[in-house]
Amino acid sequence: MEAAAPPPPLPLLPDFNPGVRCFLDARFRSAADLATAADVEAEIRGRCSELEALVSDLSVRIYEAAAAYSSCREAAGLALRGVRVGLGALKASISTGIGEEVEVGTEKMQFEQLPALASEVARVEMVREYAETALKLDSLVGDVEDAVSSSVSRKLKSVGDNSEKTHHVVIGYLKNIEDILASVTTTRTQWACLLSAVDHRVDRSLAILRPQAIVDHRALLSSLGWPPSLAGSKFSSIDSGKQAEIVNPLFSMTGDLKSKYSESFLSLCYLQELQKRRKARQLKGHNVGNQLRQPLWVIEELVNPISTAAQHHFSKWTDKPEFVFALSYKIIRDFVDSMDEILQPLVDKAKLIGYSCREEWISGMVIALSTYLAKEIFPKQIELLQESSSGDAGCMPYQARVSWLSLVDLMISFDKRTQDLISGTGLLLTVRDDDNWQRISVLSVFCDRPDWLEVWAEIERQETLDKLKSAMELEKNWSTRNQGTMLEYGSDDYKSPVITTAVQQSLSLLIDRARPVPSIALRAEFIRMSASPIISEFLGYMLRRCQEAEGLTALADDNALLKVSQSINAARYFESTLTEWCEDVFYLEMENLSVNGEGGCIFQQEINHLKEFGVEWVNKITTVILRAFDSRSRDYLKNKRQWLEKSEGPAVSRAFIESLDYMQGQLSKLEGGLNALDFVTVWRSVASGVDQLLFAGIFTGGTKISNGGVERLEGDLSVLFAVFSAWCLRPEGFFPRLSEGLRLLKVDEQQVRDGVFTDKNWLRQHGIRHLTAADTEKVIKNRVYEA
């Protein structure tokens, strides 16, 4: 039997590939590791199989590309041959037409063929251009796919391979592809299928390239020592001038490590800028607004690991949220300078327009904190409120409300400090709208959870009402007037009670709490749920005061009138305050929102209710005065004989003087207690009512009036006008019916006989404009002329 051939000799150590040598050294560190040789062999065979499959796949794709290239070349060759034939025919037809014996019909036929030939030439040119563009794109996309595949292969062979240069090469190819596609999108919109095919292949490559670039970037960050340790940070240095104790690895990196990080940073920036261009091209013509803007990827890679590390500390402070905000602010503040000094120049170099590293860093940390609050802190606050209110469903217990309000205070303070880090450098937000404002505000938690906003508004409303109820029940706050509440166009003040200032200040503080909320709609909703009910409660309290005064004395008592006047003054002052607020930009932004139902100012409904309240009770005061005047002047109006008698003394009725004295006294008291605007309404309404009452009782009641009666009536009316002269220059103008009736009584008997009172022109010339023809006839018929 023939002996078996000896195995081939092993290669010498120097002949081994360095990569193979490192691989074997890592697997066989000791003699004991020889037992795993079978597993190592299986691993090697598996890798070989993967590489063979990859090579096979590349071969197939190369074959497909070659076939596509060959097909396009044949199509272009056929098109060019067609052009050549067409040009030859054109040349032949032109040469035959030069002779002198060319027929007219042949020339006409040749000119008719020119447009069709030109169209064919244009079509062929477009086919040529399409073929060249397709070949160029195919070549570039193939280069991208080859580069991505080779990068993956190198990663399989050596995990520590630095692929930043490969990424830059691939990104260069991708930029060239995007330039061509952008040009095609603008000039050749009909090539949609070509664009779709290229985008599909590029998307597949990007799906491999971006994760690979991010993995490489994270590995570099880890080698830099990011995230830094937070265990040694002290909160005592947050508001002091001491140097931050958290070491910033971005400042400490040097040499090759710094160069590698910069290259990796630029790769991600280039990729994001490329992605932004592609999305803008693909969504061109659509109203996308600010949707193309994404957080800066490189800053996200800094934020995510350090926020994860910070949450380890946050978990220890569930009952101490102030520590959570303190650590978050310290992290933001300690690293924000490195964003400007180190990273911003790299972003500018990558031509990422509209990005500020400082803003992106603050935004990323704020969003991370907001997410933690929404997941960990607020659910516990809600649970605490529910547990505390289970025993008394009518209100939230004090401690739970204080805890909630303290948390909101921390959030508002945190937002103000972090936003100062942006504005403190002299820079403004790149885009100041609701979407971007929410990125740098932890109050954006309420944007995602409107039910929590409702809880907050309810707590604020309840706290404010608890403070105001005791103030509203204190009579001193109603009897004492504010100083300096001047009318806009007058010299008098509103005479509003002190309670209105207390309510106004409470509302102002409550609304100021809503100002930092990063959403116009939510600010309006917060005000609607918290401030509007307080205004309604205050109006309801004033209404109860007035009704109580009316029920006790029917407003016949001076104290009752004073109470009603105080409430009217408060309503007038508050109406003016709300109207002035609505002219502020803060409220004007809310006018077009549907949250207030009717549009316009957010307080429009409350302003209308205050106006209605004032009008109602001013009318009631007027009615009370007129009823009392009517009651006191009843005997005066019933005494019809006095108008036929000739008085020997002063032509003034004593009973009428007594009625006027009461009316003057009531109006004088109201002048001292009621604001100027509503007092003017009262005395004018009283004047109008007295005018109608006396005219009906004297002129249209069938009362005969002689010359002496005319003198008496003129004397009575002169006293009446004198009473109202304290508030106007021409009081007779506010008693038009009485004045015109007296003027008719003074008409000569001869003119009455001539019937001039029936002439409209005569009446108009003598100032008779408010009396009807029937009234005029009654006045004239009741006139008695003495012989």
Side-chain angles (χ1 to χ4, degrees), residues 488-510:
E488 187 175 359
Y489 298 111
S491 58
D492 298 323
D493 61 29
Y494 284 109
K495 301 178 182 179
S496 59
V498 171
I499 186 62
T500 55
T501 300
V503 176
Q504 176 192 355
Q505 291 176 350
S506 298
L507 276 179
S508 182
L509 291 174
L510 179 59

Side-chain angles (χ1 to χ4, degrees), residues 620-639:
K620 286 189 177 184
I621 290 176
T622 303
T623 302
V624 168
I625 295 175
L626 288 174
R627 284 178 180 174
F629 179 82
D630 182 31
S631 175
R632 285 170 170 76
S633 61
R634 192 164 298 163
D635 293 339
Y636 168 75
L637 295 177
K638 285 183 179 180
N639 186 7

Side-chain angles (χ1 to χ4, degrees), residues 201-254:
R201 293 177 64 182
V202 170
D203 285 338
R204 287 191 305 178
S205 297
L206 285 175
I208 300 173
L209 182 63
R210 181 188 171 188
Q212 184 177 325
I214 289 176
V215 168
D216 293 340
H217 190 74
R218 289 175 181 174
L220 277 172
L221 283 176
S222 179
S223 63
L224 285 173
W226 190 275
S229 175
L230 305 177
S233 59
K234 295 181 180 178
F235 303 141
S236 60
S237 65
I238 291 176
D239 296 314
S240 66
K242 299 179 182 179
Q243 186 177 0
E245 297 186 15
I246 302 179
V247 179
N248 190 342
L250 297 178
F251 279 129
S252 60
M253 61 180 179
T254 57

Side-chain angles (χ1 to χ4, degrees), residues 412-672:
I412 294 174
S413 175
F414 178 83
D415 277 353
K416 184 178 183 302
R417 298 172 73 189
T418 53
Q419 290 161 16
D420 286 344
L421 289 176
I422 296 178
S423 58
T425 58
L427 299 176
L428 299 177
L429 279 176
T430 51
V431 182
R432 179 67 183 271
D433 57 18
D434 280 358
D435 291 338
N436 285 275
W437 197 244
Q438 290 172 17
R439 296 168 51 240
I440 59 168
S441 173
V442 290
L443 289 172
S444 60
V445 169
F446 295 111
C447 298
D448 298 325
R449 292 298 300 268
D451 54 325
W452 292 351
L453 182 79
E454 185 176 352
V455 173
W456 178 25
E458 173 63 22
I459 293 175
E460 295 280 5
R461 182 189 67 81
Q462 190 64 44
E463 285 290 309
T464 304
L465 275 179
D466 290 345
K467 296 175 182 177
L468 286 177
K469 280 182 179 178
S470 58
M472 286 190 290
E473 293 171 358
L474 190 62
E475 189 61 31
K476 181 181 178 181
N477 290 334
W478 292 92
S479 59
T480 307
R481 292 181 182 176
N482 284 324
Q483 299 297 325
T485 54
M486 302 301 293
L487 288 171
E488 187 175 359
Y489 298 111
S491 58
D492 298 323
D493 61 29
Y494 284 109
K495 301 178 182 179
S496 59
V498 171
I499 186 62
T500 55
T501 300
V503 176
Q504 176 192 355
Q505 291 176 350
S506 298
L507 276 179
S508 182
L509 291 174
L510 179 59
I511 293 170
D512 285 343
R513 303 275 283 174
R515 290 181 185 273
V517 175
S519 168
I520 296 175
L522 290 185
R523 289 196 292 269
E525 184 68 16
F526 180 89
I527 293 173
R528 186 187 66 81
M529 293 187 295
S530 60
S532 296
I534 293 176
I535 300 174
S536 300
E537 182 70 22
F538 181 55
L539 180 59
Y541 191 86
M542 291 191 296
L543 180 61
R544 290 191 293 272
R545 279 176 59 88
C546 294
Q547 289 174 341
E548 180 182 353
E550 182 185 29
L552 291 175
T553 63
L555 300 183
D557 182 66
D558 290 346
N559 290 331
L561 275 180
L562 181 61
K563 269 192 173 183
V564 174
S565 298
Q566 291 167 348
S567 297
I568 292 174
N569 293 342
R572 172 68 71 177
Y573 173 74
F574 221 70
E575 174 196 338
S576 173
T577 299
L578 294 180
T579 302
E580 183 179 353
W581 283 1
C582 289
E583 296 174 357
D584 189 84
V585 175
F586 176 74
Y587 300 96
L588 291 175
E589 291 177 333
M590 307 175 190
E591 284 195 357
N592 296 326
L593 299 177
S594 60
V595 67
N596 54 0
E598 302 175 357
C601 177
I602 191 171
F603 293 121
Q604 192 59 52
Q605 188 174 4
E606 287 72 24
I607 291 173
N608 293 337
H609 290 165
L610 289 168
K611 286 182 179 179
E612 293 169 1
F613 171 83
V615 170
E616 177 185 356
W617 288 96
V618 163
N619 290 338
K620 286 189 177 184
I621 290 176
T622 303
T623 302
V624 168
I625 295 175
L626 288 174
R627 284 178 180 174
F629 179 82
D630 182 31
S631 175
R632 285 170 170 76
S633 61
R634 192 164 298 163
D635 293 339
Y636 168 75
L637 295 177
K638 285 183 179 180
N639 186 7
K640 299 183 181 297
R641 294 181 57 185
Q642 62 180 330
W643 308 115
L644 296 174
E645 298 174 353
K646 187 174 182 180
S647 64
E648 298 177 357
V652 177
S653 301
R654 183 174 180 178
F656 186 64
I657 296 298
E658 293 177 353
S659 301
L660 290 180
D661 182 63
Y662 162 79
M663 181 178 66
Q664 185 180 24
Q666 293 297 101
L667 289 177
S668 297
K669 292 174 185 177
L670 286 173
E671 185 180 14

Side-chain angles (χ1 to χ4, degrees), residues 169 196 389 595 600 701:
V169 172
S196 177
S389 60
V595 67

